[in-house]
Amino acid sequence: MLVKVFGSAVFGVDATTITVEVNTEKGIGYHLVGLPDSSIKESCFRIAAALKNNQLHFPGKKIIVNMAPADLRKEGSAYDLTIAVGILAASNQINSDDIKNYIIMGELSLDGSLQPIKGALPIAIKAREEGFKGFFLPKQNANEAAIVTGLDVYGIDNVKEIVAFFEGDNKLEPVTINTREEFYKTLDFPEFDFAEVRGQDSIKRCMEIAAAGGHNIILIGPPGSGKTMLAKRLPSILPPMTLKEALETTKIHSVAGKVRDAGLMNQRPFRAPHHSSSSVSLVGGGSYPQPGEISLAHNGVLFLDELPEFKREVLEVMRQPLEDREVTIARAKFTITYPSSFMLVASMNPSPGGYFNDPNAPVYSSANEMQKYLSKISGPLLDRIDIHIEVNPVPFEKLTENKPAESSLEIRKRVSKARALQTNRFESFNHIHYNAQMTTKQIREYCALDATSLALIKTAMEKLNLSARAYDRILKVSRTIADLENSESVQSHHIAEAIQYRSLDREGWLG
């Protein structure tokens, strides 16, 4: 008997429906075709044990399982339940009349219980698009898939539950989630707050400007000056995620198998990979491509602590994603594009020993050591970072004062107001939403300078020997400073402040 059951494969951040055809006939043997990987080939052992341990029968016949389309490689153990249901239906152990209306996915344990899968959200979106009635999957993924409305999502713990459902013995209730209620539940309760930071007012100002315009920023300071503490609090002043951004972000984390039971992500992600990370872990890829850290930071913050400690070749692969805000992974038979629109926050010591130009420094670095240390960061990469700022240690008096600091929510109000101005300004452009994304054309249009401002930036360009890209960065940051002041035009004091935020362009840093 021939039965068709439907599963799904995830490529990039989108799903493709897979038809699992199961045919049983006289004979002996189990044959699995359709470009399955080794974990799918091993499924027959898991399925046989799971069925036997739940008083179900693995038929002693010739079983042929075809996974179509046959030219598309399938990977992972999430097809266990799909194949198991197909075998049960093909051997007349369950009613197969209604199976064609459902997507069925799940990894089986030997006792018949189900393990969570990756990519539940994009699979659910594709199932709704193609008109499927419902989606069976492990209970751990049910909240994630239930974000999609118009699709009955059934979270199950054991293979017996789906057997009882198709036999009419068990009326499962679909999981329902009020997406908007979940989305707004914890939006205004940041885990880290700028109110906890003592002193560092100038750095907070930089962080506010960076958040308002979506600018990349690098913090340069000695150990213990608070670089990591400040970076962790940046997401708390970014504008709240829109529902569209939340869905985009959840989709990427779903593909990577990092969505928890909560379902929809409503806090901007903060990713902080270790400096020993490889280029594949950072940008994504692998034999079966998975999103990397830069995609997991989409709509949020990517923090690279101790930037010069990263391998130079690892940092260089970030240059194109920083410009294009997406990363394309090409293989011989397919090409996958992951979104990667993130804010880069990097930190570094000013020298190998951590103390630069400090006569009382406990560690002294020679000129050669300095050059070797700083040469790990290429000029083109630094040009893509809009704001360079020095972070100095906080004096003891500031650390012990009881004066309350401004909270993240108060800063966020100003940031959100500036972002709203930018949204209105760029509403006619499809891929530009804030100042950091401006192209040369928009810079010329929205950052027009008067004679005083032109003279000021000309002097800075000549003295600091800035590149054309650095010139554009200064104009973008100036536009953001003007937006925070609700100024229609970029003025000379906006330019002057933006020039101050190019520390690494000054003589004595990079030779």
Side-chain angles (χ1 to χ4, degrees):
M1 180 178 177
L2 174 64
V3 171
K4 292 184 179 181
V5 189
F6 296 94
S8 195
V10 178
F11 292 92
V13 292
D14 298 310
T16 300
T17 299
I18 301 297
T19 303
V20 178
E21 301 173 318
V22 181
N23 186 72
T24 57
E25 57 186 50
K26 288 183 179 180
I28 297 174
Y30 180 88
H31 307 280
L32 182 60
V33 295
L35 280 184
D37 74 347
S38 57
S39 61
I40 301 176
K41 291 175 182 177
E42 294 167 351
S43 64
C44 64
F45 302 107
R46 292 190 295 271
I47 292 169
L51 296 184
K52 182 179 180 181
N53 289 325
N54 285 276
Q55 292 73 55
L56 297 166
H57 178 58
F58 190 90
K61 296 183 178 182
K62 183 179 181 181
I63 302 172
I64 301 174
V65 180
N66 177 45
M67 306 182 77
D71 62 343
L72 191 68
R73 186 157 183 81
K74 295 88 183 173
E75 59 96 13
S77 54
Y79 297 99
D80 288 0
L81 186 62
T82 321
I83 297 171
V85 169
I87 290 172
L88 291 171
S91 58
N92 292 313
Q93 295 183 66
I94 60 172
N95 188 343
S96 62
D97 295 341
D98 204 29
I99 286 177
K100 63 182 181 294
N101 296 319
Y102 297 91
I103 293 287
I104 301 170
M105 296 290 288
E107 177 189 335
L108 281 171
S109 295
L110 299 187
D111 62 356
S113 61
L114 294 175
Q115 300 298 320
I117 63 172
K118 295 181 179 180
L121 180 55
I123 292 172
I125 292 171
K126 188 67 174 180
R128 183 182 65 180
E129 286 177 0
E130 297 195 348
F132 283 93
K133 182 179 177 182
F135 181 16
F136 285 94
L137 77 169
K139 186 169 283 185
Q140 298 96 315
N141 300 111
N143 287 347
E144 177 187 339
I147 294 170
V148 180
T149 57
L151 180 75
D152 291 339
V153 173
Y154 298 97
I156 58 177
D157 286 319
N158 192 283
V159 67
K160 290 189 294 185
E161 295 178 44
I162 194 169
V163 170
F165 177 86
F166 286 116
E167 285 295 288
D169 300 331
N170 181 16
K171 291 191 176 181
L172 291 174
E173 290 296 324
V175 177
T176 57
I177 286 181
N178 186 328
T179 305
R180 293 189 177 274
E181 182 181 324
E182 289 292 317
F183 175 64
Y184 292 112
K185 187 180 290 182
T186 58
L187 273 181
D188 293 330
F189 300 96
E191 182 179 359
F192 300 103
D193 199 307
F194 270 104
E196 302 159 352
V197 180
R198 294 284 180 254
Q200 304 290 22
D201 293 336
S202 62
I203 314 303
K204 291 179 186 177
R205 166 69 174 170
C206 279
M207 300 294 252
E208 181 178 338
I209 294 168
H215 302 289
N216 301 322
I217 182 172
I218 183 168
L219 308 173
I220 312 113
S225 56
K227 302 185 296 294
T228 302
M229 178 182 65
L230 288 160
K232 284 183 176 180
R233 282 155 178 78
L234 181 59
S236 69
I237 63 172
L238 290 171
M241 280 208 291
T242 63
L243 190 55
K244 180 182 177 182
E245 287 177 327
L247 286 168
E248 285 177 355
T249 306
T250 306
K251 200 173 178 182
I252 297 168
H253 284 248
S254 172
V255 171
K258 297 183 181 296
V259 176
R260 298 177 183 176
D261 292 339
L264 189 66
M265 295 178 63
N266 60 1
Q267 299 287 345
R268 293 190 181 274
F270 179 86
R271 304 293 301 181
H274 192 261
H275 59 74
S276 61
S277 299
S278 67
S279 56
V280 171
S281 69
L282 202 62
V283 301
S287 302
Y288 301 107
Q290 289 287 301
E293 291 291 338
I294 65 172
S295 295
L296 293 171
H298 181 62
N299 291 322
V301 173
L302 177 70
F303 177 48
L304 301 183
D305 196 10
E306 303 299 341
L307 189 65
E309 299 299 331
F310 283 80
K311 294 177 183 176
R312 184 172 177 131
E313 60 269 22
V314 172
L315 295 178
E316 290 304 294
V317 298
M318 290 182 55
R319 284 165 55 177
Q320 178 260 337
L322 280 169
E323 287 289 323
D324 299 340
R325 300 191 179 273
E326 64 180 21
V327 58
T328 300
I329 298 167
R331 294 291 181 266
K333 293 186 178 180
F334 58 84
T335 300
I336 290 173
T337 298
Y338 291 113
S340 57
S341 180
F342 59 90
M343 273 187 65
L344 173 64
V345 180
S347 75
M348 60 178 285
N349 294 330
S351 64
Y355 304 89
F356 177 59
N357 285 346
D358 183 353
N360 300 316
V363 181
Y364 173 77
S365 300
S366 68
N368 284 339
E369 289 173 329
M370 282 287 298
Q371 186 60 39
K372 184 178 180 182
Y373 179 72
L374 294 172
S375 66
K376 293 182 180 180
I377 311 171
S378 68
L381 179 63
L382 281 177
D383 277 348
R384 287 168 169 81
I385 300 177
D386 300 352
I387 297 175
H388 311 160
I389 188 68
E390 295 177 58
V391 183
N392 296 313
V394 181
F396 179 77
E397 293 76 15
K398 287 281 186 183
L399 282 174
T400 55
E401 70 178 6
N402 293 321
K403 180 183 175 182
E406 193 174 27
S407 72
S408 291
L409 294 180
E410 291 170 331
I411 301 173
R412 180 192 277 179
K413 289 176 184 176
R414 296 194 296 270
V415 169
S416 298
K417 190 175 179 180
R419 282 284 184 103
L421 290 174
Q422 295 164 47
T423 300
N424 292 333
R425 180 183 301 138
F426 303 125
E427 62 182 352
S428 59
F429 301 97
N430 290 332
H431 303 294
I432 299 176
H433 306 288
Y434 43 84
N435 291 335
Q437 296 176 323
M438 283 193 292
T439 63
T440 303
K441 181 180 178 181
Q442 284 88 46
I443 291 172
R444 300 294 176 264
E445 182 177 352
Y446 299 113
C447 304
L449 303 180
D450 56 24
T452 305
S453 300
L454 276 172
L456 181 62
I457 199 168
K458 179 184 177 183
T459 303
M461 291 285 292
E462 292 172 351
K463 281 195 170 186
L464 299 176
N465 194 25
L466 301 180
S467 68
R469 187 178 278 116
Y471 169 74
D472 286 346
R473 265 33 185 190
I474 290 173
L475 291 181
K476 288 180 182 181
V477 174
S478 302
R479 180 66 265 176
T480 301
I481 296 169
D483 289 339
L484 284 168
E485 292 184 6
N486 200 20
S487 173
E488 290 188 10
S489 60
V490 176
Q491 299 173 18
S492 58
H493 67 280
H494 302 143
I495 293 288
E497 184 177 357
I499 291 171
Q500 294 177 25
Y501 302 144
R502 300 294 300 182
S503 293
L504 293 180
D505 293 326
R506 298 174 193 167
E507 186 177 355
W509 279 103
L510 294 178

